[in-house]
Amino acid sequence: MTEATETRPHPGPARQRRTPAAIRPPDGPPESADDIPPPGAAEGGSEAADGQEAGAILEGARASVDPALRTALEALPGSMRRIALYHFGWEHADGTPAAGNAGKAIRPALVLAAAAALGGPEARTAAVRAAAAVELVHNFTLLHDDVMDRDATRRHRPTAWTVFGDADAILAGDALQALALGMLAEDPHPASAAAVARLAACVVELCAGQQADTALEKRAPAEVTLDEVLAMAEAKTGALLGCACALGALYAGASEEDVEALDSFGRQAGLAFQLIDDVIGIWGDPRRTGKPAGADLAARKKSLPVVAALTSGSPAAAELAELYGAPYDPADLERTTLAVERAGGREWAQEQAADRMARAMSELARAVPEPESAQGLLSLAEFVTRRST
């Protein structure tokens, strides 16, 4: 963890602050944080230009890491390889080739951008294997999360467990984690030993975060605190983004202080990302997210907006607690959604996302004071927290 979590006990009106346009709260429902429209699609000159820059960084990362990922996956035994290739969108369920969506490559892009920011193009090239390892770990978590959360779709196609079964999906995820650590352990780069240790520690933190998430779901709504959920979100989401940035810094030969600053940058940006993703889980457009409307509410997830609403002490919070304490009824979905909003959950999450991004920018400036060198990381952070109405 990077610092003590600071929260207000009761959501209220957003404080006035200057924030980048990309993270200002929207007037309408945002799109999925994992299924963001093509970069540059947003209207307005500056946002379109920012999106195009981030899009170029992401496309470059995908082009750099995909060959390493494919090589790694080809080394898997046949049954595991088939599931992994399906999960990445490179094969159909029957094993025939597919040109699917392997994701935005945000985490490997952060590795490469951090390496470039602190070490230039040569460091970026040297960090490709580390970037691929981070992407493998990310997909290990997705395979496992889909099983535990019983999510039926990801990237607009059936999840691996729905096609191959729980056991095979879990084992494929385990195999991806092993591939990631092995890939780094075999890297001759002088930073590889520190990188593999850091990534392994991150995996432990990710697992702890997921365990905390599942444990929180079993507790009554009134028993869950906002600080607990924020700590869980940092472990589940912020840890890997921070690790990605730290690995890039390690491969650039950065100082320990700069490595830690970039880790903090990634963690804070990751929390902003999770806050937005939780907003999307309630108010996202199914046509963009690929998931049913209100999926998180139907699953009774104690997401950040929900817990902020539950702890607001308002009449709407009491109504929400009553609804969350009862089995899900589709007829109550609209009422539940409105209760979260009336209790301040949505406004609090949007305000917190802006605050976390401000902290991320402060950490980035500490490690990379030259704006030109930091631009790639800044563009990626703003891209993953961009909102569209």
Side-chain angles (χ1 to χ4, degrees):
M1 304 294 175
T2 56
E3 58 183 284
T5 301
E6 298 175 3
T7 63
R8 292 183 305 152
H10 306 307
R15 294 190 297 268
Q16 295 296 315
R17 61 161 62 82
R18 296 182 62 185
T19 60
I23 57 171
R24 288 175 190 152
D27 297 321
E31 72 281 349
S32 165
D34 214 26
D35 294 301
I36 300 170
E43 294 181 4
S46 63
E47 282 201 28
D50 288 344
Q52 289 169 355
E53 180 176 359
I57 294 170
L58 292 168
E59 289 171 9
R62 187 91 267 170
S64 294
V65 302
D66 276 2
L69 289 171
R70 286 182 179 271
T71 298
L73 297 185
E74 287 298 327
L76 290 173
S79 57
M80 295 294 96
R81 181 171 65 249
R82 180 181 173 191
I83 299 166
L85 289 171
Y86 171 83
H87 170 75
F88 273 89
W90 293 332
E91 281 189 3
H92 296 294
D94 62 4
T96 57
N101 174 16
K104 293 292 182 186
I106 291 167
R107 291 154 190 82
L110 286 170
V111 176
L112 299 178
L118 290 167
E122 290 185 1
R124 182 195 185 280
T125 300
V128 166
R129 188 177 294 194
V134 167
E135 185 72 341
L136 287 170
V137 165
H138 173 54
N139 281 275
F140 138 69
T141 68
L142 297 183
L143 282 162
H144 282 205
D145 285 358
D146 285 344
V147 174
M148 286 183 272
D149 296 341
R150 310 316 285 171
D151 285 336
T153 60
R154 180 172 293 281
R155 299 165 185 160
H156 301 274
R157 69 197 309 228
T159 45
W161 72 267
T162 67
V163 176
F164 302 99
D166 290 2
D168 282 357
I170 292 169
L171 290 169
D174 293 341
L176 294 188
Q177 182 195 158
L179 279 179
L181 298 176
M183 179 180 287
L184 278 182
E186 295 169 359
D187 192 347
H189 193 281
S192 64
V196 74
R198 196 171 195 107
L199 187 58
C202 179
V203 168
V204 173
E205 187 174 355
L206 291 170
C207 292
Q210 179 64 15
Q211 190 279 330
D213 190 17
T214 57
L216 288 172
E217 296 307 314
K218 298 174 184 176
R219 288 161 57 184
E223 297 174 356
V224 178
T225 70
L226 201 47
D227 283 348
E228 284 182 300
V229 181
L230 278 165
M232 177 272 294
E234 179 176 348
K236 276 195 65 174
T237 304
L240 188 55
L241 269 69
C243 182
C245 296
L247 260 59
L250 285 172
Y251 271 70
S255 67
E256 182 177 347
E257 182 180 1
D258 287 346
V259 171
E260 294 304 324
L262 280 186
D263 185 280
S264 296
F265 160 74
R267 284 174 180 268
Q268 294 300 327
L271 273 172
F273 176 97
Q274 187 60 56
L275 284 153
I276 291 167
D277 204 48
D278 283 355
V279 169
I280 288 159
I282 300 173
W283 293 279
D285 184 346
R287 293 170 298 179
R288 293 178 181 236
T289 67
K291 295 183 178 182
D296 284 0
L297 297 181
R300 293 295 189 254
K301 282 185 173 293
K302 296 180 180 70
S303 62
L304 287 160
V306 166
V307 176
L310 286 168
T311 57
S312 67
S314 66
E319 179 185 7
L320 179 61
E322 181 181 350
L323 288 164
Y324 249 55
Y328 173 66
D329 183 347
D332 288 335
L333 178 59
E334 183 177 357
R335 182 183 166 201
T336 307
T337 304
L338 289 173
V340 177
E341 187 147 12
R342 288 201 307 271
R346 184 175 185 173
E347 183 180 25
W348 176 88
Q350 291 168 343
E351 179 186 354
Q352 276 286 309
D355 183 64
R356 296 295 174 168
M357 275 296 290
R359 298 188 197 191
M361 295 305 101
S362 176
E363 294 292 345
L364 179 59
R366 186 158 67 92
V368 191
E370 302 83 9
E372 185 174 341
S373 298
Q375 187 57 44
L377 288 167
L378 175 61
S379 295
L380 289 171
E382 293 191 344
F383 177 73
V384 300
T385 54
R386 180 171 294 114
R387 313 288 190 93
S388 292
T389 56

